[in-house]
Structure formats: C-alpha cells, structure tokens
C-alpha cells in the first residue's frame, strides 16, 4: 500500500531501507504521512554513522543550526514565542468511553480531523526524515521502540544525541511494536523558526500510540521520544504493571566504593539535574526513567542516552562537570542562548555577555522589545544544551545495561521555602508514596511563570505528563512495591528552605551530604529520629558527613535551624493536599487515612511542644 508515493519521494535506495524491514505497518505509516504532508523527498535513517552525519550536516545547510567556534558545537533557535512546552495546546484525544478528568482532552474524531487538515501539505518544499529509535537500552525488557517522522533536522539531530538508534532491531524483528510520532515545524520564517505558532498543536492519540506535533520546534514539544513518549509510556506502564517516571537515575558512592542507585523526581527548576550531576557521584540519567519489578527488587533504566538540560547558571563553580563538557570539542547543540562571534552566552554563565548578537529573537541588541513592549533578555531563561551523557566525566558505567540498575532509594524534591526539612525519609513505602511523592508541591519562580512563590501541586513531578486518572496513578505506585520485603526507601529533599528573613538555610553543595546520608540509610548504617513527618537525620551523623564530604564544620545551630519541624506549615500542607484530592474522583481511601494520621501526629506534637520543634525533642520519643 502506498508504495507508489514512497517510490516517488524516497531518496535513491531509501525505499529499500523501508521494504527491508518487512513490516507492513511501517510502510503504511510512512506512506500515509508522505501522502498527507507531501514532502519533496524522504530520507530513511539507518544506524550508520554516515546517516547521522548526513543529518548533522543538513541541519546546518538548512539553517536550522549554525556552527559555533568550538568544533562540533552548534546553536539552534526556537522562535520568540516557542520557548517552552505548550500545555494549553497539548491534548489527549479521547473517545467517549475514556475518563481522564482534570487532564487536557478533546474528542478524538475531532482532534484527528483537525490534525489531518493542518498536516495537509505541511512538508512541501522540505524533506521528511524517518528515524528508528529506542526508548531505554535496546534488547531489554524495558525497551520501547519508536518511529519518528519529522521535517526538522534539528529534531532529528537532537534525537540522535538523546536516544539509542534501532534500525537494526526493527530489521531483525518484523513484528515489532512501536510508538509513532509525526512532527512538522511547519512554515519557517527568516530566522528558520516556526511561523504559525497560533496553530501549534501537540495531540496524543492513545489508540494508535501516536503523537502529532506541529508548528513548533521547542524540543519539549517536538522530540517525540521525550515528553510525548512519556505520556504514551505512562499508559503502557499502567496496563503492564510498571512505572514510567519523570525521574533521574544516579549512582551514589558509599564506603569502599559501594555504588547505590537512586532515582529522583523534581519539577522543573528545582535542582533535578544538578542533583544527579553532583561531583563525586555517577549520573545515569537526568529526566525520564522506567522502573520495573524483578523478583523482590526494583530496577530502572534511563530512557535516554543524553541530556537536554537547562543552561541557566551553568558555570565552573555550580556545575563544573557540565561546564567542562560544554567547553570541549564534541557534539553539543545550544538552544536559545545569545551568540556573538561564534561564542554562546547564557544567563548565569561566566563573564559579561555582549550587548548585541543573534538570539531567539533574531538580531538582538540590549533594550530590544517584543511585540508586547517587554524587554527581550539576551538569552532565554529556558535556554538549553543537548549533549550525550558519555561526554560527561561522571557518566555511569551501566547506562546501557539492558538489565537496568537496582534501585534502593527514590528521592522527591520541590521548591519549598518553609515546610519540608532539607532531607528526610518516609516511615515506609505507602507513607512515602502518599505524604512525599503524591504531596509534592513546588513554588513558582520568575523563570516558570513570572510570578514567584505560588505553590503548585505536582504529584511525583509527573503531573504535566499524566495520561491516566490521578487516582489510578497513585494506586499503581502503592501497588508497585507494596508486597516487596524491602521496597526502595522514599526520601524527600528541599534545597530551598528559608529563614524568617528570607535567607536560604542550606548551601548549594549541601545536597552532596544529603545524598550520602540517604545512601547510608538505605544500607541501615545510620540511625534516624522518628518525627510526625518521617525519619530525620541525627546531628552527629550529618556533622561527620559534612566533614568527610565537604570538609566543613557543621554546627548544631545550623542543624537546628534546618531541621526543626515547622508544625503549622506542615499541618497546612497536609490540609492543602487533602483538599486537592477530595475534589478528584477515585482516589484510593488509604491516601486520606494516611494524610489524616499524619495531621493528627503533627497536631499532637504541636499541642505538646509548640510550633517549631528541634529534632532533638523527638529523640527517643518514638515519634
Ligand atoms: C522539563 O521541563 O521537565 C524538561 C524539559 O525536562 S522539556 O523537554 O521541555 O520537558
Ligand atoms: Mn523533564
């Protein structure tokens, strides 16, 4: 079917690349969108280096990327108004029998119809690239295969950096199942950025495991294997009994080079990448992880092999390892930075930025205003870099292990000025899932919304990507490790705690100590203080760790300020979270029981000890 269309459009020899796969579904899929989108030509990528090189070169020839001074480095710009995920126009296409209350949905028929109309002829004058890729390491029980169609060499180039190639696997498995993505940047303006932003759409069709993304270039919308795939994977995981999470994966070293793996979920701009990237530990992934149970244990893989990271504040002091990777030869795509004489500049980088150059608004000069009269910053706050993990000195050796890594702890962190202590552990799995993971909130920063300090509920930091009902998602988490003898431990962290004067109470590097504390806890090597919200570190343990890790004298005064339990704030938090869940359907009753019990513990403590209670008070008290 559709072979004539493919014959007419495929580059010489590239139709054979498709027919060699012996897979009708792939032929149909490619032919269908070749017909609808009407590209001038079709390039089918195999796993060869030559094909990767073709895409890299073409990204430059087409003007989507420009070479920078350091070899292998390029810059790409997304348009002035295409700088983030478009939540409003990202929709799930649902049939009348599907229930997804609270999520952004539209009627499937209607959505597909609109999409087919918008896609009509959208690739005219361009080349369609057909990519075969894998989510997770190849040939593993975690692997999900994917076919991406795109007319953007930048998107294809990013996917080459971020995901494992899988043409060979498709060839070996004609019955392979796969996710599908159709992307078009749409018409481009003189800066090669998407012109028809008003028609920007990201539509997720579960029934066909397909995501459509059009009139946008920003990777969070367009790179099918990133956030579009997470939405599809959450549904697949729900059916199959595993978890698809917005999590990093890292190895933390304990005594005698012991390496213990943790995963961690943080909303954007809360320190997720800087946690898994800390010096002295090993990074396996920074954004999306799949978790599966095998026997009595939990294993995780990184869905990706690269990082699409926030570049703001990357400098030699904060992030020496990323800084190093961004300043040596090798493949790096910078996005939405300012470029002058082939050198990229970003917010919070090193040195003073120039007063003019090229940025995401085209030719930029200091004081340039946008259509609303707002000053355009030299680099966007969400400017990013795309690199392979193996470009980092601290890349973990198990990145491509098809077995995954054994997960001993799961960390949740938000931006919280006044409630959670810097680090603590839940009493058990269910308590952690409910009072830490499903109670995660984060305060907005100027970088995310323009307004600061508004608390946003974001369970498991995965709310933006949830594609199943929230109640079911929580139930899946509860069930995932409930029957394990030793489930992974659940921890909460907070790098943003402040004192009454608004000063941060912890230092940038302190997270290195919290990680070591968690590592020792997981191996039952340190005690803890039982408090109403969970288990808190003991002063003497932190003192020793501060001295070992940071060579710092950690005072009892600092400990008390950081770890005193703020009872009114913690009670208010429980009430806020209860309120949110009361409005949602089908929440497991255990969630309310557990929150209620937590509130009672907090209230009892408040009656007994007052509002702000140093951890020492709880010592030996059982709670
Ligand atoms: C995030 O915002 O969580 C990201 C970047 O990882 S994006 O690709 O936009 O989702
Ligand atoms: Mn993310």
């Amino acid at each position: 079917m559709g072979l004539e269309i493919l014959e007419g459009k495929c580059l010489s020899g590239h139709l054979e690349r498709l027919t060699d796969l012996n897979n009708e579904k792939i032929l149909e899929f490619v032919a269908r969108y070749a017909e609808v989108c009407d590209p001038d030509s079709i390039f089918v990528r195999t796993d060869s280096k030559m094909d990767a090189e073709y895409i890299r070169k073409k990204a430059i020839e087409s003007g989507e990327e420009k070479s920078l001074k350091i070899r292998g480095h390029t810059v790409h710009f997304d348009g002035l108004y295409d700088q983030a995920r478009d939540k409003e126009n990202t929709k799930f296409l649902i049939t009348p029998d599907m229930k997804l209350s609270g999520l952004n949905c539209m009627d499937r028929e209607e959505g597909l119809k609109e999409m087919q109309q918008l896609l009509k002829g959208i690739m005219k004058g361009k080349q369609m690239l057909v990519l075969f890729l894998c989510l997770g390491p190849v040939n593993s029980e975690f692997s999900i295969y994917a076919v991406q169609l795109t007319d953007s060499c930048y998107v294809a180039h990013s996917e080459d950096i971020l995901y494992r190639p899988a043409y060979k696997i498709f060839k070996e498995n004609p019955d392979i199942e796969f996710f599908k993505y159709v992307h078009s940047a749409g018409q481009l303006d003189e800066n090669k950025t998407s012109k028809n932003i008003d028609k920007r759409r990201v539509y997720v069709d579960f029934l066909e495991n397909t995501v459509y993304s059009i009139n946008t270039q920003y990777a969070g919308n367009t790179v099918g294997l990133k956030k579009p795939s997470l939405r599809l994977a959450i549904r697949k995981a729900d059916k199959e009994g595993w978890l698809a999470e917005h999590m990093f994966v890292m190895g933390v070293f304990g005594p005698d080079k012991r390496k213990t793996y943790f995963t961690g979920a943080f909303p954007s701009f809360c320190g997720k990448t800087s946690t898994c990237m800390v010096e002295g530990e090993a990074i396996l992934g920074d954004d999306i992880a799949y978790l599966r149970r095998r026997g009595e244990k939990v294993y995780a893989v990184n869905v990706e092999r690269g990082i699409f990271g926030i570049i703001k504040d990357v400098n030699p002091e904060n992030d020496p390892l990323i800084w190093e990777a961004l300043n040596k030869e090798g493949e790096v795509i910078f996005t939405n930075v300012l470029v002058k004489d082939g050198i990229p500049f970003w917010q919070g980088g090193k040195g003073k930025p120039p007063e003019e150059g090229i940025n995401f608004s085209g030719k930029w000069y200091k004081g340039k205003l946008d259509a609303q009269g707002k000053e355009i910053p030299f680099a966007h706050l969400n400017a990013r870099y795309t690199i392979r993990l193996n470009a980092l000195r601290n890349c973990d050796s198990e990145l491509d292990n098809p077995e995954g890594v054994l997960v001993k702890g799961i960390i949740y962190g938000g931006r919280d000025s006044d409630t959670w202590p810097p680090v603590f552990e839940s009493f058990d799995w269910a308590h952690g899932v409910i009072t830490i993971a499903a109670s995660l909130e984060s305060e907005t920063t100027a970088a995310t919304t323009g307004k600061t300090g508004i608390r946003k509920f974001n369970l498991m930091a995965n709310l933006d990507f949830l594609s199943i009902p929230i109640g079911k998602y929580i139930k899946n988490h509860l069930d995932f490790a409930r029957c394990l003898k030793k489930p992974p431990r659940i921890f909460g962290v907070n790098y943003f705690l402040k004192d009454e004067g608004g000063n941060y109470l912890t230092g940038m590097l302190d997270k290195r100590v919290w990680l070591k504390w968690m590592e020792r806890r997981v191996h039952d090597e340190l005690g803890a203080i039982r408090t109403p919200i969970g288990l808190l570190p003991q002063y003497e343990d932190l003192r020793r760790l501060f001295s070992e890790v940071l060579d710092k004298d950690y005072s009892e005064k600092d400990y008390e300020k950081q770890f005193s339990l703020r009872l009114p704030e913690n009670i208010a938090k429980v009430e806020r979270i209860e309120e949110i869940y009361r409005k949602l359907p089908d929440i497991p009753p255990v969630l309310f029981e557990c929150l209620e019990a937590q509130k009672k513990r907090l209230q009892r403590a408040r009656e007994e000890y007052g509002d702000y209670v140093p951890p020492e008070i709880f010592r030996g008290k059982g709670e």
Side-chain angles (χ1 to χ4, degrees):
M1 178 225 161
L3 271 190
E4 320 76 63
I5 291 172
L6 296 176
E7 262 163 17
K9 293 189 183 289
C10 281
L11 297 184
S12 160
H14 286 226
L15 177 58
E16 291 67 36
R17 290 178 174 194
L18 286 177
T19 51
D20 276 359
L21 300 174
N22 281 317
N23 190 324
E24 269 302 308
K25 285 189 198 143
I26 289 172
L27 279 180
E28 257 173 49
F29 175 57
V30 182
R32 168 137 203 233
Y33 288 97
E35 186 172 3
V36 178
C37 304
D38 200 19
D40 285 5
S41 61
I42 299 176
F43 175 90
V44 179
R45 204 192 92 157
T46 66
D47 302 341
S48 76
K49 277 203 175 117
M50 237 168 73
D51 284 5
E53 188 53 35
Y54 172 90
I55 288 168
R56 274 198 293 272
K57 273 211 181 109
K58 197 141 170 105
I60 290 170
E61 276 166 26
S62 68
E64 285 185 80
E65 292 177 33
K66 288 185 183 63
S67 294
L68 296 173
K69 210 164 189 176
I70 299 181
R71 217 161 67 144
H73 292 198
T74 58
V75 64
H76 162 82
F77 296 111
D78 302 305
L80 192 50
Y81 302 104
D82 193 20
Q83 294 287 322
R85 274 184 274 116
D86 181 352
K87 294 189 199 180
E88 205 181 307
N89 288 304
T90 298
K91 293 187 183 163
F92 296 117
L93 305 182
I94 57 168
T95 49
D97 57 310
M98 286 181 182
K99 271 202 235 126
L100 276 177
S101 66
L103 306 182
N104 198 3
C105 299
M106 80 183 282
D107 176 68
R108 180 169 183 266
E109 293 289 306
E110 204 184 305
L112 288 178
K113 212 164 114 200
E114 184 195 350
M115 191 46 73
Q116 299 307 313
Q117 272 162 7
L118 290 170
L119 284 172
K120 210 170 249 166
I122 202 168
M123 294 187 187
K124 265 197 184 115
K126 297 203 222 169
Q127 183 169 78
M128 180 163 96
L129 303 156
V130 185
L131 316 171
F132 298 90
L133 298 156
C134 183
L135 296 150
V138 295
N139 279 327
S140 124
E141 87 176 299
F142 292 93
S143 314
I144 299 177
Y145 297 95
V147 179
Q148 169 94 55
L149 310 182
T150 179
D151 60 8
S152 163
C153 297
Y154 159 68
V155 168
H157 183 194
S158 299
E159 289 193 322
D160 181 47
I161 296 179
L162 294 171
Y163 305 95
R164 289 109 173 160
Y167 178 81
K168 180 168 166 276
I169 312 278
F170 275 83
K171 204 164 161 182
E172 288 164 0
N173 300 278
D175 299 324
I176 198 164
E177 273 184 43
F178 53 95
F179 286 175
K180 295 178 277 238
Y181 309 101
V182 180
H183 167 254
S184 171
Q187 278 180 36
L188 302 180
D189 60 16
E190 67 281 6
N191 297 327
K192 300 286 169 200
T193 64
S194 294
K195 207 167 166 179
N196 300 318
I197 290 296
D198 58 320
K199 296 198 184 66
R200 179 169 58 192
R201 303 281 183 274
V202 180
Y203 285 177
V204 183
D205 180 18
F206 303 129
L207 293 189
E208 290 286 337
N209 270 328
T210 302
V211 182
Y212 304 90
S213 161
I214 55 169
N215 295 315
T216 171
Q217 294 183 316
Y218 175 71
N221 296 323
T222 60
V223 170
L225 281 84
K226 202 168 192 51
K227 296 309 176 5
S229 87
L230 180 53
R231 298 185 179 99
L232 295 178
I234 287 173
R235 271 186 97 85
K236 187 171 164 67
D238 171 54
K239 285 202 199 97
E240 297 172 358
W242 49 277
L243 299 177
E245 296 300 312
H246 191 204
M247 284 179 175
F248 69 61
V249 186
M250 73 182 296
V252 180
F253 290 96
D256 299 324
K257 300 212 172 107
R258 172 179 71 201
K259 189 163 58 174
T260 309
Y261 287 97
F262 287 81
T263 62
F266 297 58
S268 310
F269 294 97
C270 291
K272 186 178 174 203
T273 303
S274 63
T275 301
C276 56
M277 190 74 74
V278 293
E279 240 184 320
E281 318 296 2
I283 180 170
L284 196 140
D286 87 316
D287 199 29
I288 305 171
Y290 294 162
L291 280 72
R292 280 180 179 266
R293 248 177 354 230
R294 200 177 306 132
E296 276 292 314
K297 302 203 160 98
V298 172
Y299 293 83
V301 294
N302 179 9
V303 167
E304 310 180 287
R305 66 167 177 180
I307 302 185
F308 173 59
I310 296 174
I311 201 163
K312 179 176 178 284
D313 294 332
V314 171
N315 56 49
E317 291 77 45
N318 287 351
D319 294 290
L321 295 162
I322 308 177
W323 177 264
E324 184 184 305
L326 298 185
N327 281 284
K328 65 177 186 196
E329 286 189 1
E331 226 172 324
V332 184
I333 309 175
F334 292 86
T335 45
N336 307 319
V337 293
L338 175 74
V339 176
K340 177 94 203 278
D341 301 329
I343 298 169
F345 296 86
W346 56 88
Q347 312 274 350
K350 204 174 128 188
K352 201 167 165 270
E355 308 217 329
E356 51 159 52
I358 306 289
N359 80 355
F360 58 103
S361 71
K363 240 182 153 128
W364 177 87
Y365 47 88
K366 205 174 169 169
K368 185 174 179 187
L369 305 178
D370 67 13
Q372 285 76 42
K374 226 176 118 210
E375 189 167 343
I376 300 169
F378 72 94
H380 197 273
L381 295 172
N382 195 26
R384 290 182 178 250
Y385 59 87
T386 305
I387 51 167
R388 284 208 179 79
L389 272 157
N390 63 15
L392 293 167
R393 246 194 306 128
N394 59 335
C395 174
D396 191 65
S397 55
E398 304 308 306
L399 174 61
D400 290 319
N401 187 340
E403 301 282 310
V405 295
L406 178 61
V407 179
K408 294 274 201 175
I410 304 182
I411 306 170
Y412 293 92
R415 183 177 285 266
D416 165 9
S417 57
D418 62 5
T419 310
W420 278 359
V423 63
F424 65 108
E425 184 183 332
S426 71
F427 298 132
D428 55 37
W429 177 258
H431 179 250
V433 167
I434 294 165
T435 68
I436 299 181
S439 299
L440 197 61
E441 295 176 294
S442 192
E443 288 162 17
T444 53
T445 65
T448 47
T449 60
K451 283 194 194 141
T452 56
I454 299 165
R455 275 180 237 263
K456 290 249 187 222
F457 164 73
N458 192 348
L459 77 162
M460 286 74 164
N462 214 1
L463 184 61
D464 285 355
F465 315 108
L466 276 202
S467 51
I468 58 172
I470 290 180
K472 184 71 200 315
Y473 178 66
I474 293 174
K475 183 177 180 305
N476 291 348
H477 267 261
L478 289 166
D479 291 348
F480 183 66
R482 201 202 296 272
C483 47
L484 301 184
K485 276 195 225 87
K486 281 189 91 176
R489 304 283 188 87
I490 297 181
F491 298 92
V493 297
N494 176 19
Y495 308 148
F496 303 93
L497 191 68
K498 291 181 180 170
D499 63 16
E500 315 77 60
N503 307 303
Y504 285 114
L505 280 173
T506 51
M508 285 290 272
L509 299 178
D510 295 1
K511 56 174 86 69
R512 293 179 58 185
V513 174
W514 316 143
L515 285 168
K516 296 293 192 204
W517 181 77
M518 293 185 265
E519 202 275 341
R520 304 282 172 95
R521 279 293 303 164
V522 156
H523 294 280
D524 296 317
E525 291 169 357
L526 297 178
I529 303 172
R530 218 178 149 84
T531 78
I533 64 159
L535 306 162
L536 262 54
Q538 306 176 134
Y539 169 65
E540 60 276 19
D541 296 332
L542 290 184
R543 179 157 193 242
R544 193 160 14 87
L545 290 174
F546 264 96
S547 156
E548 275 171 32
V549 180
L550 299 178
D551 194 19
K552 203 172 138 183
D553 195 13
Y554 181 62
S555 74
E556 207 156 355
K557 216 168 110 215
D558 277 346
Y559 170 72
E560 210 180 291
K561 276 201 220 148
Q562 295 166 355
F563 287 90
S564 279
L565 210 54
R566 302 172 178 214
L567 294 167
E569 286 83 354
N570 275 284
I571 292 169
K573 179 183 173 85
V574 176
E575 288 172 346
R576 258 196 321 273
I577 300 296
E578 271 180 333
E579 177 89 14
I580 291 167
Y581 284 115
R582 281 205 201 289
K583 293 195 188 114
L584 293 169
D586 306 319
I587 299 299
V590 61
L591 178 133
F592 297 105
E593 290 156 25
C594 182
L595 289 177
E596 213 37 50
Q598 178 118 331
K599 189 159 79 181
K600 286 229 170 71
R601 282 193 300 272
L602 288 160
Q603 283 165 339
R604 262 204 316 270
R606 193 177 181 188
E607 279 156 27
E608 200 156 335
Y609 310 117
D611 287 350
Y612 301 102
V613 189
E616 288 300 316
I617 300 280
F618 294 102
R619 224 176 177 151
K621 294 258 167 60
E623 200 172 88

